[in-house]
Amino acid sequence: MSELNRLGLAEARDLLRKGEVTSVQLTEACLAAIEAADALNAFVHKTPEIALQRAEAADARIRAGDAPSMCGLPVGIKDLFCTRGVPSQAASRILEGFRPEYESTVSQNLKDSGAVMLGKLNMDEFAMGSSNETSCYGNAVNPWRRGNDDTALTPGGSSGGSASAVAADLCLAATGTATGGSIRQPAAFTGITGIKPTYGRCSRWGIVAFASSLDQAGPMTKSVRDAAIMLEAMCSHDPKDSTSTEIPVPDFEAMLTGDIRGKKIGIPKEYRMDGMPDEIEALWRSGAEMLKAAGAEIVDISLPHTKYALPAYYVIAPAEASSNLARYDGVRYGHRAKLAQGDGITEMYEKTRAEGFGDEVQRRVMVGTYVLSAGFYDAYYNRARKVRTLIKRDFEEVFAQGVDAILTPATPSSAFGLGEMAEADPVQMYLNDVFTVTVNLAGLPGIAVPAGLDRQGLPLGLQLIGRPWDEGDLLNTAFALETAAQFVAKPGKWW
Ligand code: GLN
């Protein structure tokens, strides 16, 4: 069978179980695809030996009739996850040479469920960014191109390497993480599916921290069914993360009936932004029509504090980041600057952090320390926290009115050109997160599903937001949307 790397998780799993392919064959197909795709710069640390070893072990388990849910399925892991003995750099120079002694709970869960790790995936430095351009490895590239030119496009960020690798069939699926939108925005930019679960569903243990009250891991996959399979494997209660919740993980895949009759889908008026391209507006409308045709009831809703979400996020996230990143001091991890005669510990910290952190990370640390400083704490940080509570309450009120899920666009545009934002104000880049940050601030599950192509032939995604802990129902609504949208386009291979 040719091009096994093009399979999704569910199809590959079924073929493995029937004995029609082996994990070694699947893994070799992915490794060959990765070797041929250096131009995408998606995989930044390749682990072929580990992959083949795990694939052989998986084949043995399958033969013995002891195959857990992801047994033998090759996946990529975002560089933000600590993986034992394998470079885990969060795409930062400051973690150069860091090989953790431990494995993140999520990547351990995937390993325990039989998944095969192919390597580590590119991302924005410390997951700060929306274009993958802040990475110390250089940006990953979107496999999609505009129909009328060959401008290199961003795969989105921060999980840009994950998105590029899944869209280009270098792996069957990948892990991502989202603090503000880093799973849904890159998924939308590359025509794949990505779900950020409820805060507390996946353990954050062993994932390099950006903003701890917002960070959450999730799968990036070729279909909603695959997202259901992989999310279940990633989730667990973990005593090593005090914010991980002790709640049963249902069989998400079994909940994909496609029946959404009688479900109430809310359309929030505040997400209709000024200057939003008419194609996005049209896609949103057609998404609502598809859900209606599948038997859902469409209702207009209001989430009045939406306009404060981005400013609140860009206070809270940098504040937490400035504290989390204080540990990179040249002593405990990775890189240390070369010191001059007479330099003391202060110079060592200063030089190490100046060399080790890129511009965007330094900007966040400065903003974060500023909003937490004695004179400004109440004016910025405390106010942002109050706004966050109001944003959360907006959602609670809508869900209390019986709304089952909320439909919005995933991003305000399709993928933009690499370098296009270089001269722009950083706030221009921050606007990418306008539809996604509210969900992280409120701790809710959100999923991006590819729903169409724009005039330039680039994918566009729709976002569905669900009730807390109700990922099963959310995935089922997404499944109904996916079934109706029938998005089957793939990027033309140029790399
Ligand atoms: N783009 C957002 C930021 O730069 C979100 C990043 C993320 O979700 N990790 O903060």
Side-chain angles (χ1 to χ4, degrees), residues 4-15 26 73-74 169 171-173 221-223 226 229:
L4 293 175
N5 51 303
R6 294 176 69 101
L7 296 172
L9 296 174
E11 299 156 296
R13 173 195 62 189
D14 297 347
L15 292 172
L26 284 168
L73 301 175
D169 293 316
C171 50
L172 275 47
T221 59
K222 298 180 193 178
S223 69
D226 288 4
I229 295 169

Side-chain angles (χ1 to χ4, degrees), residues 127-130 158 177-182 210 313-314 364 433:
M128 298 175 191
S130 302
S158 65
T177 64
T179 303
S182 283
F210 163 10
Y313 172 84
Y314 278 98
R364 306 270 179 126
D433 308 318

Side-chain angles (χ1 to χ4, degrees), residues 9 43 70 74-83 104 106-111 115 117 119-123 158-163 165-166 171-178 182-183 186 192-195 202 207 216-221 230-231 233-234:
L9 296 174
F43 275 88
M70 295 215 17
V75 301
I77 304 288
K78 187 177 181 180
D79 200 35
L80 202 64
F81 293 79
C82 287
T83 42
S104 79
V106 164
S107 53
Q108 183 68 47
N109 286 349
L110 287 171
K111 190 174 168 204
M117 176 176 74
K120 303 299 284 288
L121 290 160
N122 208 346
M123 54 177 283
S158 65
S159 311
S162 305
V166 174
C171 50
L172 275 47
T175 61
T177 64
S182 283
I183 291 177
I192 65 166
T193 297
I195 179 166
C202 285
I207 300 175
Q216 193 57 203
M220 300 177 71
T221 59
M230 186 160 167
L231 180 63
M234 290 168 72

